[in-house]
Every structure is written in structure tokens, then in C-alpha cells.
Amino acid sequence: MTGYVLRRCLLMIPTVFLISIISFAIMQLPPGDFLTNYMIQLEASGQEVDQAMIEALRMRYGLDRPIYVQYFVWIKSFLRGDFGFSFEWNRPVNQLIWERLALTVAVTAATMLFSWVVAFLIGVYSATHPYSVGDYMATFVGFIGLATPNFMLALVLMWVAYSYFGQSVGGLFSAEFIDAPWSWAKVWDMLKHLWIPVIVIGTSGTAGLIRTLRANLLDELNKPYVVTAVAKGVPKMRVLFKYPVRLALIPFISTVGWSLPGLISGETITSVVLSLPTTGPLLLRALQSQDMYLAGSFIMLLSILTVIGTLISDILLAVTDPRIRFD
Amino acid sequence: MQLILTGLGEVDSVSKLLEVRNLKTHFETEEGTVKAVNGVTFDIHRGQTLGVVGESGCGKSVTAQSILRIEGARGKIVEGDILFYPDPKGGDPVNIAKLDSDGQEIRAIRGKEISIIFQEPMTSFCPVYTIGNQIMESIILHQKAEALQARERAVETLRLVGIPKPEERIDEYPHRLSGGLRQRAMIAMALSCHPQLLIADEPTTALDVTIQAQILELMRELQREMGMAIMLITHSLGVIAEMAQRVIVMYLGRIVEDAEVNELFDNPKHPYTRALMYCVPRLGSGIERLQPILGSVPDPYNIPTGCSFYPRCPEFIEGLCDVEAPTPVKISENHSVSCFLYGKGGAADGSGHTD
């Protein structure tokens, strides 16, 4: 097991290396470089372009050099923790992303927790009471959840909250906390705001998980080992949770890895609608304005998170299912 | 009429372990009711091996499942009794057919008094727990043993069923054992609490021939040592001949013939039993082609009227077999058959063909 984890960790290095090349390629895809874009922007707004600063930047990032040299310069500073400079914001990327990344992870983690708990309870109920009224209701709600776009749900929720309760539901913080330093009061304030994005973002994922769990569990319930356990005299509920539920969770666990990036990029539109200070909207704007170092850094970090997520889900999988342990 | 089928010479309540009376287990499906077991009566005695033989879909397995009340959510015992005599010194029987299939009483019987092993050792163990975990579960549940004690007993049982290095094998996952070893482990699990009755539902069908012989030999040995009764379900007459003392032949949810084993092989009466025997290749018999049974088992939703075997029967009597259902006729002390060729049921006078 330790060997397996170690091997997987080592395998992450070439994966991340490949991702960095692709990230860099994406940054270079639009015509021109960000400095030409920047100059055009400045000139369009009638400001004077400081040629000396442009040249200094061009030298600093080696933009006058061949692409592969540029890549090594970028990856070297990236590894040192210097993610470059955001032109849109006129600040180092470093200052922009960490808080948003942390908030994104918080929203994602809360959403996953919500999805899992709700999907687990409803999925197990649905599978053990197939074709019952409760199952049909869960199926109905599940399909609505799957079919409704998240931003639509967000708009409906905002409208209901505003027109019936006179409450504004946008953002993660109340006005007085937005620029305040972190404190317990601010965390509490965030938790009070968190439930809306969690419901909005989590609904479709939850619906999908319910359907998956129900199908898996229905399959597992018909396996001979369930009858074997019942025939040993084990009580029904204990049989259910010890045997088929654990096996039904295996495909569940293997999706943790990819639900991480899914939640981060999937919530972009919802975050825009709900004006959440997460990575989604920032990444979207960076891509629109060709703010390439910001976009590239984001893509890199999200990719690394994805690789880590996949590793975590693979380890969990190996713990749950002895058949896939490589030893 | 049921009394006739009981027809074992040594019947007495002390040796009797299980008494199944007119059992009917039906399944409700969207296409209709499947009468999987439709009026079955037989006994199992302590230490005896009862063979149950018949083609697929004859209700053999459902009969076994009914005894443990694991017939499933769609199955229902609509009639009849399953009387289980737990105390060898006599005492009141438990009517398993009337118990709540999820209740405390039946759970105390499952795995402790009556155990079952299935055809598929590959899928009968849960793949994500070690075999030790699954064997110990029974022991802890029924014998109120501590984990360490239970482990010792599980190792002991694994050794008993001939698994080499049981101290190590106990921590193996099922997929690491071969089919034969897995079936041995399955038997170990079934026997871990010393049941009085072991139901073996086609225990060797999924195994290759050499392993089959080993498993059957093992079951016989363990029966000698532990003295449990075995209900052996199979479609192989060879296995029956080797293992059983008494045989019931089932066809479409009914028992068509019930006899002591030598009597059945020397003197098969029912056309279905005889047809089954013609399908078995025999060395030195000089027969070059085997005779298959005509047709196939009918659609379970449309069981023929009268004797359900008549459409496939070479000796079918028109106007009788397709109209009336035969009842058991006692041929001799330990042999009875449900067929009009041997007289009308109940009368048991052997007057041959009427009408």
C-alpha cells in the first residue's frame, strides 16, 4: 500500500510537468502577447504608454526570446512561487489568487459534503424501496435537479429571497465583512452565506449521485453475497450497510477526483450570478482579457488540485476495494 | 394423502429434523404468478442426506430458500408448514413458514441451526472483506464469542475443511483463493456454528470435475464427524447416487417421486425420473446415443393442466393425464410416485390404467 501511494506520488510529477506545458501553450495561443494587448488597452483609453516599463517587463519575462526559453523562465519562477503579473489588475498574480482559491476550496468542500450526505441518504432509501412513492419522488426531484441549470436556480432563489424575505443573497460575506480581516465573526458570516451557493451548486451533482448510487446499490442488492449474509442470520440493516452499500460506494469514490475540477469550473456562471469571490469568475475574466499569466497560473493550480484529487480518490478506492490494491 | 408421501419406515419425532408439509411458495411478477413451489411434502431426518433432483426451474432452490426464509421480497409462502425440530430429545417444533422473514426467531436459526452453501463460490463471498471476517461474523453473532476466540474457531473450521495454512488463509480476500478453496471456505462458514442441517444448493456445479469429487468427499466426511443432516440439491444423478440416502425428484414445483436411493435407481417409476436417467451416459451400457427428454420445461406462467409433465411424457394417457392432477401413490414401504400409471392416487391399489 505504501509502495502504491509512493509510486502514484512519483507519477504525479511527469503529469504535472505535462500539464504545465499545456497551460503554457494555452497562454500563448491568442495572437500577440499580453504586452501588445496591454499597450492597445492603454492607448485606447488615451493614456501614454511607458515604453521603458514595457521593455523592462518584456525583458523580465523574456518575451523577446524563443518560446521554449520563455517556458523555462516561466516554470522556474512558477516553481519559486512567482506566478507572474496580472495586467488586468496591475498586481502580482500571487496577491490575487490565494484568498479566492481558499474560498473556492471552502465552497467546493461544503458542496461536496452536502451532495454526499444528501445523495447517500436518498440514494440508499431509493434503492432499498424501489418503485415506492418515496423513490418516485426522489427520482422526480432528482431529474428536475439534473435538468435545471444552476444559474437558473440561483436566479430563482435570489428572486424569492429578495422579494419575499427582503434579503440579498449575493456574495459570501455581508457588506461590513468584505474587506475586513479574517476573524471568527467573518467566518461565521461566511457560513451564514454559504448555504445558498452550496444548494445552488450542489443540486445537480447531488441529483446525479442519487441516480448513480441507486443504480449501483440495486445491482449490488441482487448479488449472491447479500443472500449469503442474510442466510448467516445477520440483521437486515447490518447486512445492507456492511456489504452492498460499501460496494455501491466504489464508483462513487472514484468520481471524487474529477468532481473537484468539475465543481470549480462548473460553478463559474453561478458564481457570476451570485457574485461569489471564488476562482471561477476571475478565471473567466482573465481568459476574456487575455490576462495570460493570471489565467495560466489558475489553470496550473486547478490542474494540480485535480491531480491531487485523483490521487486521494485512488487511495480511498484502494482502501475500500481490496481487489484493486496493487501489491 | 400426505401421509403416504411421508412413508419412511423409521419415522419418529426424535429422529425427525425437518418436516415440510404441502409447501407452496409463489412469486408475484408483472407477468403473473409463478408457482415455483406448489405443494411439496417431505421430511429430513437427523444425520441423513436428502437428495433433491430435477431440471433447472423445478423449484429445488426455492424450496431450499423457503426453509431459510430467504425466498426474496417477491416470493411468498402462501400455504403449508415447515416444521423444524431443534431439540433432538423431542419438544415442540418451530413452524418456520409462519415466522417473520426478518424477525429475531428466524435469524437465530439461520447460520446456527440451518446453513446453506450456494452454487457460485465466486460470488457468494463479498469481495471486499477477508474470508476470516465473513466466517467470524457468524461465530460472533451466534456463539457470542469475542473476536479473538472467534478467530481461533474460524481457523479451526478452515483446517477442518482442508484448507492448507489456515492461519494465513484466514486473512485472504476471496478473489485470492481458487474456486475449490473458496467452496471449502464457504463450507467452513456454513459449518462454523455446527448446524443441524446443511443445505447445499448445487455445491459442485461451478467447479471442475476433480474438485467436485473432493468437495463431495469432504461433505461426507464432515457429516460423519459432525452428524448434521444434508439437503443436497443437484441436477446430477451421479452426485445423488454417491451422497444421498433418500431422494425426491421434483418437476415444476411438485415432487413426482420420493424413494430410498437404491430403490430409486433400481426401480425408477415416474416417466420423468426414468427420462432423467436415460440422459446420463453410462460406461459399458452399449448405448451410443443418449436420449434427451422431449421438449423443455414449460413456461412457468402457463403450467399445463393435469399432470404438468404430460406434454413431454412418452406414456401420456389422453383424457386423464391432461385433465386430472395425479396424487402420490405408495409403491412400497419407502417409495411413492405421483403418476396415473401406478393407479389413481389415494386408492393406492395398483390397479393400473383406469379409463
Side-chain angles (χ1 to χ4, degrees), chain A residues 224-225 227-228 230-236 238 242-243 246-247 320-323 325 327, chain B residues 70 102 107 110-111 116 123-124 126-129 133-134 137-138 141-142 173 175 186 189:
Chain A
Y225 66 80
V227 186
T228 307
V230 172
K232 277 193 290 190
V234 182
K236 205 170 154 190
R238 212 159 100 202
K242 180 173 176 187
Y243 295 101
R246 173 156 168 187
L247 275 113
T320 326
D321 189 352
R323 285 169 300 180
R325 281 175 210 164
D327 40 19
Chain B
I70 50 172
D102 195 35
R107 277 193 274 119
R110 286 176 188 153
I116 187 164
T123 49
S124 296
C126 182
V128 300
Y129 295 97
N133 177 309
Q134 295 179 62
E137 189 177 29
S138 280
L141 195 70
H142 292 302
Y173 287 95
H175 67 277
M186 195 74 207
M189 183 157 81

Side-chain angles (χ1 to χ4, degrees), chain B residues 52-56 60 119 202 205 233-237 276:
Chain B
V52 183
V53 71
E55 283 165 286
S56 303
K60 310 183 298 284
Q119 180 177 354
E202 308 206 21
T205 310
I233 296 169
T234 175
H235 46 237
S236 159
L237 284 166
L276 280 178

Side-chain angles (χ1 to χ4, degrees), chain B residues 233-305:
Chain B
I233 296 169
T234 175
H235 46 237
S236 159
L237 284 166
V239 170
I240 292 280
E242 211 168 306
M243 300 284 294
Q245 281 99 52
R246 190 167 189 94
V247 188
I248 54 181
V249 182
M250 285 188 74
Y251 186 74
L252 279 180
R254 289 175 198 271
I255 293 174
V256 295
E257 191 159 1
D258 175 349
E260 188 268 325
V261 66
N262 291 327
E263 169 74 10
L264 187 85
F265 281 94
D266 293 344
N267 196 10
K269 289 295 184 196
H270 199 281
Y272 180 61
T273 315
R274 278 189 247 161
L276 280 178
M277 287 185 183
Y278 291 138
C279 305
V280 182
R282 214 168 295 181
L283 277 178
S285 61
I287 300 169
E288 300 209 342
R289 290 182 71 102
L290 295 174
Q291 269 184 28
I293 306 178
L294 293 171
S296 54
V297 179
D299 174 16
Y301 304 106
N302 298 304
I303 292 178
T305 53

Side-chain angles (χ1 to χ4, degrees), chain B residues 126-201:
Chain B
C126 182
V128 300
Y129 295 97
T130 60
I131 55 165
N133 177 309
Q134 295 179 62
I135 294 172
M136 281 156 63
E137 189 177 29
S138 280
I139 300 172
I140 292 171
L141 195 70
H142 292 302
Q143 308 195 331
K144 310 276 173 279
E146 300 292 320
L148 212 68
Q149 248 180 317
R151 192 183 160 86
E152 262 168 47
R153 269 182 231 175
V155 169
E156 212 40 60
T157 323
L158 286 173
R159 183 172 294 127
L160 195 68
V161 297
I163 288 183
K165 288 191 248 162
E167 309 82 8
E168 289 167 34
R169 293 304 172 99
I170 190 168
D171 293 320
E172 291 279 21
Y173 287 95
H175 67 277
R176 316 254 309 199
L177 300 181
S178 67
L181 279 190
R182 237 185 276 189
Q183 194 61 299
R184 279 173 193 264
M186 195 74 207
I187 293 173
M189 183 157 81
L191 298 183
S192 59
C193 296
H194 302 279
Q196 305 201 50
L197 173 62
L198 174 70
I199 301 174
D201 190 353

